[in-house]
Amino acid sequence: MAFDIEMIKKVYGTMAERVDKARELVGRPLTLSEKILYSHLWEGTPSQAFSRGKDYVDFAPDRVACQDATAQMALLQFMHAGKKTVAVPTTVHCDHLIQAKVGATTDLAVANSQSKEVFDFLSSVSNKYGIGFWKPGSGIIHQIVLENYAFPGGMMIGTDSHTVNAGGLGMLAIGVGGADAVDVMSGMSWELKFPKLIGVKLTGKLNGWTAPKDVILKVADILTVKGGTGAIVEYFGEGAVNMSCTGKGTICNMGAEIGATTSTFGYDDSMRRYLAATGRQDVVDAADTVADYLTGDAEVYANPSQYFDELIEINLSELEPHINGPFTPDRGTPVSKMKEEATKNDWPLKVEWGLIGSCTNSSYEDMARAASIVEQAVAHGITPKAEFGINPGSEQIRYTIERDGIIATFEKMGTKVFTNACGPCIGQWDREGADKGEKNTIVHSFNRNFSKRADGNPNTHAFVTSPEMVAALAISGDLSFNPITDTLLNDKGEAVKLNPPTGDELPKRGFDVEDAGFQAPAEDGSNVSVVVSPTSDRLQLLAPFDAWDGKNISGAKLLIKAFGKCTTDHISMAGPWLRFRGHLDNISNNMLIGAVNAYNQEANKVKNQLTGEYAAVPAVARAYKAAGVPSIVVGDQNYGEGSSREHAAMEPRFLGVKAVLVKSFARIHETNLKKQGMLALTFANEADYDKIQENDTINFLDLTDFAPGKPLTLEFVHADGSKDIILANHTYNESQIGWFVAGSALNLIAANA
């Protein structure tokens, strides 16, 4: 039986009535995305039609999921909310704090020792507040959610940007910051601007070397890393129906890389097969009673240009395998053009590592198809030229692929089998020699390939591709190798051409596992104690942020003017910093250390206007804070792209930054700033970015009149006494201004409690 089956039946019990009413109000057929949105309104049955991209709407998500790196801060905040238990089904998953180095057994033991304090904290908080807890080694949050909790037509939020993976099972699953999760766990509504809709019509059928991963790599190339911002991407068409459920999950997962609110597919037989195979026939039976409501109306898919704000069409029969990168996931190169592109751009052709796994591509089908390439190489006597590593998505996947001989196949090529965890994908990889900073190439089936993300080396050129292409490129050791046309030499000097990959969508003998790693919470957690040592360097109880004093901010100093791409990895790095995710003071020592200073083109070196000296960004911020001087951060386009980590908002708030003024924001980061009582502002005129000077002092002239739709006026006073008056736009509504006035959204929750 599925987890929370009664909750799922309740969702389906009201869906028809709510969707029918929404269709009447809107006055036209509905997309799947609209059906799920309107059936999850906080008010219940819809009473009005909403404008896409304009109206802020309160929703009632069905469940919440948190991973261990972000759960620490989310649960530390929830402890302040004054609640006895979570209001909706919630889970915590330990997948980020496990480093990949030696292999699964050793690495997991090291993590359990080094992070015992954090794991014990998460376990006890989960036990106390009615939260399901998945232990270290159980698997990656998004694979476990797909296997156990996702259901067609549902809505969930999660404290990880790749929560969107559950769209593979027909959900609207949305990545958020911890403060948003706390709202829902506390029994409050969750606010979202009603999204725009991007339709992707898939025709034809995947064949040969082309995989579901290539669909999203192509879409990313078309839309770029910010092309999906403020929108839901809905996939449909015969090509969608012909794809596996986990393949759909891969596509939705990487929707985070185009800035999309989420992505989804309509309910179909692939989802029925997957639900049944993972022990949830009861969900299939319930979903089938409302099947017509779990996909877009037929008229929508027949004439999609009339119903979507943007439409993309991809013929899967003609789609070529892609290799995206380096340094950004939206730079797409078809495999047939890689040799030309790599040579032109001086990308290292020698592939040093091939990595398969992460939340994006760690399903049974992914592992089976990649293994089929490895098996061919072994049979033909081909020695791999690159090192190989895999991260199974869950203990259930690992146990099943071991039983079916897939792990044994990988091990014949010397593959390192890492823990069922994120590992290299989020910088938890102790790669030998990475500290030398040598220029090199790796290929992986992950979702992100920002500079330094996997191994900390800024000169590692990381390319994103499908698991089967990772296998082929790692075996060949050549980035320009095209398995569709090229051959490899075996140990006899013979030319061997690899056959296209094969692999079962689902295990023929079914899934199996001895211990999935789940800990159910206590029925009554009132007697469970949660202890945080006051001397811990890993965990720190939170103190409320100060409320706004009601005055204009004046005398603020420019902390940094960030140049170019500034992702959440630049603002709050992962890797070795993950160990401090539960300690706001300690984690703040990584604030903006990866951002490039526009004035000297260096990272982590900014001017302290109080002394005239240059120092690390956190050190200068602490100096301003100690002197009672507010500061602001200025940034470029799509500021805060990437992870949902709210530390990238909490750290500046903690260190005295009052506002972040940029050309444009990534959605999650803008919301995170608002939730923490920060001013998230955009240039009314983007060219004003160039007017900001290194020694500027900033005065807000009309913050006392802060109101929805009304720009703020900022005075930038330069060192020579001259001034520039700059208009800053914002997207705050009345309730969000309330967060700013109170000092944070959490302050309001605690006050109401």
Side-chain angles (χ1 to χ4, degrees):
M1 179 181 287
F3 286 97
D4 311 311
I5 185 62
E6 294 307 315
M7 176 270 285
I8 295 171
K9 289 179 178 178
K10 185 178 178 181
V11 171
Y12 291 155
T14 60
M15 181 164 276
E17 177 188 356
R18 293 181 179 184
V19 171
D20 288 344
K21 182 62 177 178
R23 194 185 287 110
E24 175 189 324
L25 290 167
V26 175
R28 56 168 172 75
L30 298 177
T31 64
L32 167 64
S33 303
E34 291 170 312
K35 290 181 180 182
I36 301 176
L37 290 169
Y38 277 107
S39 65
H40 283 84
L41 296 176
W42 180 253
E43 65 177 330
T45 303
S47 61
Q48 68 177 99
F50 296 105
S51 297
R52 299 177 192 168
K54 294 182 180 179
D55 292 335
Y56 280 94
V57 182
D58 289 334
F59 292 100
D62 302 311
R63 66 177 313 111
V64 175
C66 309
Q67 40 93 334
D68 50 353
T70 53
Q72 296 169 65
M73 199 58 71
L75 294 179
L76 284 165
Q77 292 178 84
F78 181 74
M79 289 168 65
H80 277 277
K83 304 294 182 179
K84 292 184 178 180
T85 188
V86 291
V88 301
T90 302
T91 52
V92 167
H93 305 259
C94 295
D95 61 358
H96 274 55
L97 300 178
I98 305 167
Q99 191 174 53
K101 183 177 182 180
V102 178
T105 302
T106 300
D107 294 346
L108 182 57
V110 169
N112 277 322
S113 174
Q114 291 181 343
S115 295
K116 183 179 187 302
E117 177 186 13
V118 173
F119 294 146
D120 287 349
F121 167 74
L122 294 174
S123 173
S124 62
V125 175
S126 298
N127 202 25
K128 182 175 182 65
Y129 293 109
I131 299 169
F133 180 72
W134 290 83
K135 303 173 186 176
S138 60
I140 305 172
I141 175 174
H142 312 304
Q143 182 65 32
I144 290 179
V145 166
L146 200 70
E147 291 177 0
N148 296 277
Y149 299 111
F151 65 97
M155 174 186 276
M156 69 174 286
I157 60 172
T159 62
D160 188 285
S161 56
H162 294 105
T163 298
V164 295
N165 188 82
L169 257 174
M171 291 195 88
L172 288 190
I174 301 168
V176 299
D180 276 350
V182 170
D183 282 356
V184 176
M185 289 190 287
S186 300
M188 298 173 63
S189 62
W190 173 64
E191 183 185 68
L192 178 72
K193 184 181 285 188
F194 205 83
K196 294 183 178 181
L197 299 177
I198 298 174
V200 180
K201 182 178 181 179
L202 302 178
T203 60
K205 188 174 184 179
L206 294 170
N207 62 86
W209 281 88
T210 309
K213 184 64 161 267
D214 297 304
V215 176
I216 186 57
L217 294 179
K218 179 66 175 178
V219 170
D221 188 46
I222 294 170
L223 289 176
T224 78
V225 291
K226 63 176 184 176
T229 302
I232 293 174
V233 183
E234 184 171 324
Y235 294 84
F236 61 93
E238 61 173 339
V241 173
N242 289 330
M243 201 179 293
S244 69
C245 177
T246 53
K248 293 179 172 74
T250 291
I251 292 169
C252 292
N253 181 294
M254 271 196 71
E257 273 50 75
I258 57 172
T261 300
T262 191
S263 304
T264 195
F265 285 79
Y267 181 51
D268 62 17
D269 283 343
S270 74
M271 297 183 189
R272 291 183 176 93
R273 294 192 297 271
Y274 186 76
L275 286 165
T278 51
R280 291 174 287 172
Q281 182 61 43
D282 48 353
V283 176
V284 176
D285 296 340
D288 282 346
T289 65
V290 289
D292 288 344
Y293 293 88
L294 303 178
T295 190
D297 287 337
E299 299 93 330
V300 171
Y301 295 155
N303 299 286
S305 61
Q306 297 180 23
Y307 300 96
F308 291 98
D309 298 292
E310 185 175 352
L311 180 65
I312 296 170
E313 295 191 36
I314 298 175
N315 185 341
L316 301 185
S317 300
E318 299 174 357
L319 183 64
E320 188 176 348
H322 274 59
I323 305 169
N324 284 27
F327 307 128
T328 185
D330 62 346
R331 182 170 186 168
T333 303
V335 63
S336 63
K337 297 181 179 178
M338 178 50 78
K339 185 172 185 177
E340 175 187 345
E341 282 294 303
T343 302
K344 181 174 68 177
N345 292 285
D346 195 28
W347 298 336
L349 288 176
K350 182 183 178 184
V351 175
E352 307 278 355
W353 265 90
L355 297 157
I356 295 172
S358 89
C359 60
T360 321
N361 280 105
S362 55
S363 68
Y364 185 90
E365 181 181 36
D366 290 327
M367 295 295 174
R369 284 173 64 86
S372 74
I373 304 305
V374 172
E375 196 167 30
Q376 290 183 60
V378 171
H380 288 292
I382 299 170
T383 303
K385 302 297 190 299
E387 295 189 74
F388 227 127
I390 64 170
N391 286 78
S394 69
E395 174 58 15
Q396 178 169 268
I397 294 292
R398 188 211 62 78
Y399 189 94
T400 305
I401 64 174
E402 182 177 56
R403 179 202 68 189
D404 292 352
I406 292 174
I407 285 183
T409 296
F410 278 117
E411 288 179 335
K412 289 175 184 175
M413 294 202 100
T415 303
K416 283 189 177 181
V417 181
F418 295 124
T419 314
N420 315 317
C422 302
C425 181
I426 49 112
Q428 285 286 63
W429 183 24
D430 188 358
R431 181 185 179 189
E432 186 177 353
D435 56 338
K436 296 178 183 178
E438 295 175 337
K439 187 175 179 179
N440 73 103
T441 284
I442 65 173
V443 293
H444 59 57
S445 68
F446 307 157
N447 37 50
R448 293 192 176 134
N449 57 345
F450 304 144
S451 175
K452 299 194 285 187
R453 182 173 175 89
D455 62 4
N457 177 4
N459 296 314
T460 291
H461 291 53
F463 293 86
V464 182
T465 190
S466 67
E468 41 270 69
M469 280 298 298
V470 170
L473 293 172
I475 290 166
S476 71
D478 183 358
L479 182 64
S480 66
F481 175 69
N482 182 354
I484 300 172
T485 58
D486 299 346
T487 59
L488 298 171
L489 290 179
N490 65 8
D491 54 4
K492 298 176 183 176
E494 300 167 334
V496 177
K497 191 167 183 291
L498 297 172
N499 293 321
T502 59
D504 291 329
E505 171 187 326
L506 297 163
K508 287 186 172 66
R509 296 162 57 193
F511 287 106
D512 202 359
V513 67
E514 287 185 347
D515 178 8
F518 176 70
Q519 169 191 295
E523 288 191 17
D524 179 5
S526 59
N527 294 321
V528 177
S529 297
V530 179
V531 179
V532 174
S533 169
T535 60
S536 172
D537 68 351
R538 299 290 300 273
L539 296 166
Q540 180 187 49
L541 294 176
L542 296 174
F545 290 129
D546 291 336
W548 178 45
D549 63 8
K551 301 177 183 178
N552 279 318
I553 297 168
S554 60
K557 299 298 184 183
L558 177 68
L559 177 62
I560 185 174
K561 178 179 172 180
F563 175 81
K565 186 185 280 284
C566 192
T567 72
T568 48
D569 278 6
H570 295 88
I571 305 168
S572 176
M573 288 184 177
W577 291 95
L578 284 172
R579 66 188 306 270
F580 298 122
R581 284 285 180 86
H583 198 293
L584 183 55
D585 196 0
N586 285 346
I587 191 71
S588 293
N589 288 323
N590 80 356
M591 186 191 73
L592 285 160
I593 64 175
V596 175
N597 181 358
Y599 302 110
N600 57 16
Q601 295 298 304
E602 294 187 56
N604 203 27
K605 187 177 181 181
V606 296
K607 189 172 185 178
N608 180 340
Q609 293 189 48
L610 302 180
T611 65
E613 298 175 349
Y614 285 84
V617 182
V620 174
R622 288 183 186 274
Y624 289 154
K625 181 181 179 182
V629 176
S631 59
I632 80 163
V633 169
V634 171
D636 212 317
Q637 297 279 8
N638 207 31
Y639 184 88
E641 169 194 346
S643 167
S644 69
R645 70 189 66 144
E646 65 182 340
H647 299 77
M650 295 186 78
E651 291 172 33
R653 180 73 168 99
F654 179 70
L655 293 184
V657 177
K658 300 297 184 183
V660 179
L661 173 63
V662 301
K663 293 180 182 177
S664 65
F665 282 107
R667 175 190 64 85
I668 299 176
H669 188 64
E670 181 182 20
T671 301
N672 285 348
L673 289 168
K674 292 179 178 181
K675 286 279 185 176
Q676 300 304 332
M678 296 273 282
L679 291 170
L681 310 174
T682 55
F683 289 100
N685 179 2
E686 290 185 3
D688 285 344
Y689 171 90
D690 297 323
K691 295 178 180 178
I692 312 303
Q693 298 179 22
E694 189 172 27
N695 296 297
D696 280 352
T697 297
I698 304 99
N699 301 309
F700 283 73
L701 303 183
D702 53 5
L703 185 57
T704 51
D705 298 322
F706 193 17
K710 183 178 182 293
L712 291 174
T713 310
L714 283 67
E715 177 186 67
F716 284 76
V717 182
H718 309 309
D720 62 3
S722 63
K723 301 176 182 179
D724 274 305
I725 304 298
I726 289 176
L727 278 183
N729 293 332
H730 64 83
T731 60
Y732 287 76
N733 57 30
E734 289 287 0
S735 63
Q736 293 171 346
I737 290 175
W739 303 341
F740 171 74
V741 171
S744 73
L746 182 60
N747 287 356
L748 281 182
I749 295 176
N752 291 335

